[in-house]
Amino acid sequence: MGLSKKDFISIADFERSELEEILDLAIRQKKQHHEGTLERTHVGRVMACIFHKPSLRTRVSFEVAMHNLGGTSLYLTDKELGIGSREAPEDVARVLSRYVDAIMIRTFDNAIVEDLARFGTVPVINGLTDLLHPCQ
């Protein structure tokens, strides 16, 4: 039921052909959504959406995408998680990996994203850091 472990931290981690496949899939799925034929491939799946930086577009796009694919998302802020203050990134990664199928994070420090990916067992998506913005 879980997703295969492929993190999306930087576009530099992917071959050109892989990025083209991702974009082609997005184009096809957007068309299918507008035609009412989009397959609900993520029924029963949950994505944790961690926001240290608030965002209209990032939050809406990820939450709507999960909903349209049949899954759900959890909106989590630093107040709930306390990454680096109450909870070490590796502990957050391990705990969330037990409950969710993917993690998206929009934060300041790219090292937090890398730690979540290193210690988590579910895919981690970099929604934005001060260093990178691969989903833009």
Side-chain angles (χ1 to χ4, degrees):
M1 175 89 156
L3 301 171
S4 63
K5 174 73 167 148
K6 177 72 174 178
D7 302 311
F8 194 82
I9 308 303
S10 168
I11 61 171
D13 297 336
F14 291 81
E15 298 294 326
R16 179 184 178 101
S17 61
E18 292 175 302
L19 293 170
E20 288 173 349
E21 285 179 37
I22 292 168
L23 292 173
D24 288 345
L25 175 62
I27 290 166
R28 281 194 316 274
Q29 287 180 324
K30 187 171 186 175
K31 182 179 181 211
Q32 291 167 349
H33 171 69
H34 290 298
E35 293 171 346
T37 60
L38 179 64
E39 187 178 352
R40 296 174 59 83
T41 57
H42 287 57
V43 172
R45 293 186 177 159
V46 179
M47 178 172 50
C49 296
I50 303 170
F51 285 87
H52 292 159
K53 290 181 171 185
S55 171
L56 169 68
R57 288 166 196 80
T58 303
R59 180 175 180 184
V60 171
S61 64
F62 275 93
E63 289 191 10
V64 169
M66 278 303 286
H67 172 78
N68 288 344
L69 292 170
T72 58
S73 61
L74 300 173
Y75 178 77
L76 300 167
T77 67
D78 197 40
K79 289 179 182 178
E80 288 92 11
L81 301 177
I83 297 176
S85 58
R86 288 191 331 268
E87 299 281 348
E90 53 267 27
D91 291 333
V92 172
R94 289 180 185 122
V95 169
L96 287 179
S97 291
R98 284 186 230 138
Y99 296 101
V100 302
D101 300 287
I103 300 167
M104 186 283 299
I105 181 166
R106 182 179 168 92
T107 190
F108 298 91
D109 187 356
N110 203 68
I112 293 173
V113 179
E114 292 171 354
D115 284 345
L116 290 176
R118 180 173 32 259
F119 295 105
T121 58
V122 298
V124 173
I125 301 166
N126 180 355
L128 172 125
T129 67
D130 287 347
L131 180 65
L132 299 168
H133 195 357
C135 292
Q136 184 174 15

